[in-house]
Amino acid sequence: HVQLVESGGGSVQAGGSLRLSCQASTSSDEIYAMAWFRQAPENEREGVAAIEGDGTITYLDSVKGRFTILQDKDKVKDTVYLQMNNLRPEDTGMYYCAAVFKFLTRSTLFEASAYPYWGQGTQVTVS
């Protein structure tokens, strides 16, 4: 079991930057992967970036070159960041941090249903 707490959302103009943080209540040695998802009104939740235990990183095509997922490992708990640069209005949405303990195939990394643990979400608005 793990608890996730996000922070760092806000409102910015197009071209601006935000850095989201997600603190997990346990260490990454137990977690297989952590990911960031986002959901705009009336849209499905979509995976934005994921980092696996071996350091493999996967990005949604539309954020490649603009977003960076980073992991700060600690003996007790981990923090995962999402650095978002050159933000666009279409990046607007509620951003969620998610974690999973079991192995996921590459094809399921961005399936929301594969993640049992979620944070409360943090709103990002780009105008």
Side-chain angles (χ1 to χ4, degrees), residues 37-40 43-47 94 96 110 112 118-119:
F37 285 77
R38 67 186 180 191
Q39 188 167 20
N43 287 358
E44 292 187 357
R45 194 168 294 191
E46 66 174 354
M94 187 69 78
Y96 297 91
F110 283 166
W118 293 85

Side-chain angles (χ1 to χ4, degrees), residues 13-74:
Q13 293 186 338
S17 298
L18 285 172
R19 184 179 176 96
L20 307 183
S21 299
C22 171
Q23 188 169 74
S25 59
T26 189
S27 69
S28 63
D29 289 344
E30 303 171 50
I31 295 173
Y32 175 76
M34 294 185 71
W36 286 97
F37 285 77
R38 67 186 180 191
Q39 188 167 20
E42 302 181 356
N43 287 358
E44 292 187 357
R45 194 168 294 191
E46 66 174 354
V48 174
I51 184 165
E52 298 172 61
D54 64 358
T56 301
I57 291 173
T58 305
Y59 292 105
L60 179 68
D61 284 346
S62 64
V63 307
K64 286 180 180 177
R66 301 188 299 120
F67 289 14
T68 303
I69 186 169
L70 303 164
Q71 187 170 37
D72 182 11
K73 295 188 176 183
D74 186 272

Side-chain angles (χ1 to χ4, degrees), residues 1 4 22 36 48 65 91 115:
H1 183 74
L4 305 172
C22 171
W36 286 97
V48 174
D91 295 319
Y115 291 80

